[in-house]
Amino acid sequence: MSTGRFVSSASIGSTSTSSSTQISANVPISNTANKWKRESDCDEFVGARRSKHTVVAYKEAIYVFGGDNGKNMLNDLIRFGVKDKSWGRAFATGTPPAPRYHHSAVVHGTSMFVFGGYTGDIHSNSNLTNKNDLFEYNFQNGQWTEWKFIGRTPVARSAHGAAVYDGKLWIYAGYDGNARLNDMWTIRLTGETHQWEEVEQKGDRPPTCCNFPVAVARGCMYVFSGQSGLQITNTLFQFNFKDKTWRRISTEHILRGAPPPPARRYGHTMVHHDRFLYVFGGAADSTLPNDLHCYDLDSQIWSTVTPAPESQIPSGRLFHAAAVIGDAMYIFGGTIDNNVRSGDTYRFQFSSYPKCTLHDDFGKFLQNRQFCDVQFIVGTEEVKISAHIAMIVARSQFLRSKILAARDARNVHFEKLFGTTDVPLAEQPILEVQLPDAQPEAFEIVLNYIYTDRIVFKDPFSHKLVLIMMDVYQLAVQFNIPRLEQLCVQYLEFKISKSNVLDALYNADRMGLTLIKDYCLGFIVKEDHFYNIVMSAEFAALEKPLIVEIIRKRLNPSKHTADCMRYDKTIGTTLESDMAVFLKSGGKEFCDINLVLEEKIIPAHKSILAARCTYFQAMFRSFMPADNTVNIQIGDISPSLEAFDSLLRYIYYGDTKMPPEDSLYLFQAPCFYGFANNRLQAFCKHNLENNITYDNVLQILEASDKMNVLDIKNYALKMVVHNFSQVAKLPKMQDLSRELLLDVIMAIADMKVENKQRIHDTFISQYNDI
């Protein structure tokens, strides 16, 4: 998201705006998050079409070096200015690197460093060789310089990875002409002595590979996929520069209910921005996908980015290059369908909203066990497990019925004891619900899923996980939580192996889990499984009826036997959807707090409010009003009923969709109510900037001044100035306070000064060029 940024009138013609933003050609606008836009084409005489090149960013421009155009290798250096949106050849002196492709290029300080690559004459197929030379290009004077080394040097290579960290260039893996590599070398980019050092790598390093991208974030280098022969994978690897240790990142997407990683591929790009890694393009098993994948470094979850409406999405391609400037990614060139070299440029506007903390907030609330109002008595040993009624009844109809039955029984007891059911909350004992058939460990896993939509193990390396997950599956079926059922099925399908399938079969039979039992039988009788399994000691110890079933299955396999368990991935609900229904209709009979706004009573749930807002958490812990009533405000402002409804939607299920007038009321809410981050504020700001029109700008100006939201006030002032001939005719103009009218006059004066300075600077610049 681009917040507080404005596009100059010179470039506004190539920037599309949403239909709701009714503004003139000179009005400042914000870039739309997650929007693709094709930029100005590079003229052929400049040298556009190419692939296997590099792109780096320096200040407000991207620099493209080398590659091949389908006929020849290149060593030209071209430049695209992101502000003036113009292409040209970069000024250069000295001797540049020989024409090459599959080299690497990085930026450190005021210089670009080009290492290695494949060079020669591809047209005549002569002098083709890999290189291990290192060239420096100084952006300030345009000077090319080749570095000379002392001591050992890396083997010549191409299609490798390169990164800068701690003032050093790091070179990893690639192809030396005979084999793929996975060695690593580093050289300091400062000082007079130029000496390479081979890095002793530790940990779970990736397989030998080439044609992969690297990205640097948080003191680590990340490598995703690439060409690794039979070992090609879609695993993400992390290298920590300080301890020089590799780690294979397991996304556990099955347990998290998240999308899987992108398909394995090569020739793709990966860049880092904010807390995300973005992967685009490449060749994925003979296809050229053009979807954009995103890896969240905080939650460790992959997702596919949905492009904004009216996006100009690039076609699928490989051997393109990408770089980040500010809050946008620029992609240039590459090989597209039919082996055609591309010369087009695309800009992708990042969405820099803080992450949604809904799942984390509810998960921490469960761990802390504050304000629990229900206690489950679990298993034959009657283990007591505390929770919150609102969360439970929102997600499971079965447990909802159990809680209602327990509450009715308690009311009957109150009636007999006190002659009334109207007993003060402070004097009521915690509600107890019996679950004698559940296993405590499995129930804790289900409980965590109810709060977070995730499956978490206390001991993720336990050999009993398959058996525990079968207990979880049984509870998911009993509690009527279909999506958890699907996750269990997917996990078991992923984890059941030749070494544990007999245990799984025995327990599935004992527990009456027909779906899993059938899968285990089908797994055992497979041609490449059967011999090893039946020759094991575990098979000999199996109960006779199960042995008979296995033999019969082997001799007469059902034509319906499948390689996977039958389940429907489309069924089931998410945490967000369940909480939305709970807020709108399903949770009314469980409300335990009254929020009062404009004399209207809004029933709500203490546990939900406390889980998401430290304001309510502190209130309920320290000075809860005796009548369970809380007057609502945001700082010194009383929000409208509509705005507070938007706020409750955000608290209950993370919804950020709201009209712009609500956004202005809620701009201060994250700070006042103590949310985990300013995600809501970021959405409010973006919503306002993209929906202010000359029709409503004066209302926004007045409200932002009243609420002291300076960013939005300044934005509104700029819009008033740019549309003054229209805004001045609005009736609302007559109602502005004297102070705001003075602010408008000062903004007009400032604009005139800026215009004069711009004209002066343009004249001086043109005069100097003569």
Side-chain angles (χ1 to χ4, degrees), residues 456-512:
V456 177
F457 298 122
K458 289 182 179 178
D459 180 9
F461 302 103
S462 171
H463 65 280
K464 296 181 179 179
L465 285 188
V466 169
L467 304 184
I468 293 172
M469 283 298 288
M470 293 173 71
D471 287 328
V472 173
Y473 173 78
Q474 189 175 39
L475 289 180
V477 173
Q478 182 183 358
F479 294 170
N480 190 25
I481 310 178
R483 191 162 176 265
L484 179 56
E485 291 180 42
Q486 311 308 309
L487 291 178
C488 292
V489 167
Q490 292 177 66
Y491 178 82
L492 290 169
E493 183 185 54
F494 180 71
K495 282 293 186 179
I496 287 176
S497 63
K498 287 185 281 188
S499 63
N500 63 26
V501 67
L502 293 176
D503 279 341
L505 174 66
Y506 171 78
N507 282 278
D509 180 65
R510 178 178 58 85
M511 298 164 67

Side-chain angles (χ1 to χ4, degrees), residues 261-416:
R264 62 184 188 177
R265 62 192 62 206
Y266 67 90
H268 50 296
T269 55
M270 180 168 66
V271 300
H272 166 245
H273 177 72
D274 195 31
R275 68 177 193 275
F276 301 107
L277 303 177
Y278 292 88
V279 171
F280 177 78
D285 293 332
S286 302
T287 66
L288 295 178
N290 70 338
D291 46 358
L292 181 64
H293 297 270
C294 175
Y295 180 75
D296 190 327
L297 294 167
D298 288 339
S299 64
Q300 298 187 5
I301 287 178
W302 284 100
S303 60
T304 302
V305 178
T306 301
E310 302 178 10
S311 284
Q312 299 168 305
I313 304 173
S315 59
R317 61 195 60 211
L318 76 160
F319 300 140
H320 51 290
V324 174
I325 295 181
D327 52 8
M329 171 177 67
Y330 293 84
I331 285 179
F332 175 76
T335 302
I336 55 178
D337 285 335
N338 300 318
N339 210 29
V340 174
R341 271 46 171 190
S342 168
D344 47 20
T345 308
Y346 288 87
R347 180 186 190 275
F348 178 78
Q349 178 65 44
F350 290 122
S351 169
S352 297
Y353 302 120
K355 72 173 184 176
C356 177
T357 63
L358 184 76
H359 300 244
D360 293 339
D361 290 344
F362 287 148
K364 290 175 183 176
F365 195 60
L366 173 64
Q367 291 175 359
N368 294 336
R369 309 284 176 167
Q370 285 189 336
F371 313 116
C372 289
D373 49 9
V374 63
Q375 194 167 71
F376 293 97
I377 312 302
V378 183
T380 55
E381 297 183 2
E382 297 191 342
V383 176
K384 295 182 178 180
I385 300 176
S386 301
H388 305 90
I389 290 175
M391 293 298 305
I392 302 299
V393 300
R395 309 231 46 208
S396 168
Q397 289 296 322
F398 175 87
L399 293 176
R400 183 190 188 102
S401 299
K402 284 276 189 180
I403 287 173
L404 285 173
R407 194 169 73 175
D408 290 342
R410 188 177 66 177
N411 287 340
V412 171
H413 176 71
F414 286 162
E415 187 72 41
K416 290 180 179 179

Side-chain angles (χ1 to χ4, degrees), residues 750-761:
D750 289 342
M751 183 195 70
K752 289 185 176 181
V753 171
E754 290 175 5
N755 286 344
K756 286 183 179 180
Q757 185 64 44
R758 190 180 298 114
I759 292 170
H760 175 268
D761 292 345

Side-chain angles (χ1 to χ4, degrees), residues 52 60 158 297 317 375 518 569 634 651 682 717 751:
K52 307 170 191 172
E60 297 296 326
S158 58
L297 294 167
R317 61 195 60 211
Q375 194 167 71
D518 288 345
K569 295 181 180 180
I634 301 176
I651 291 173
L717 281 171
M751 183 195 70

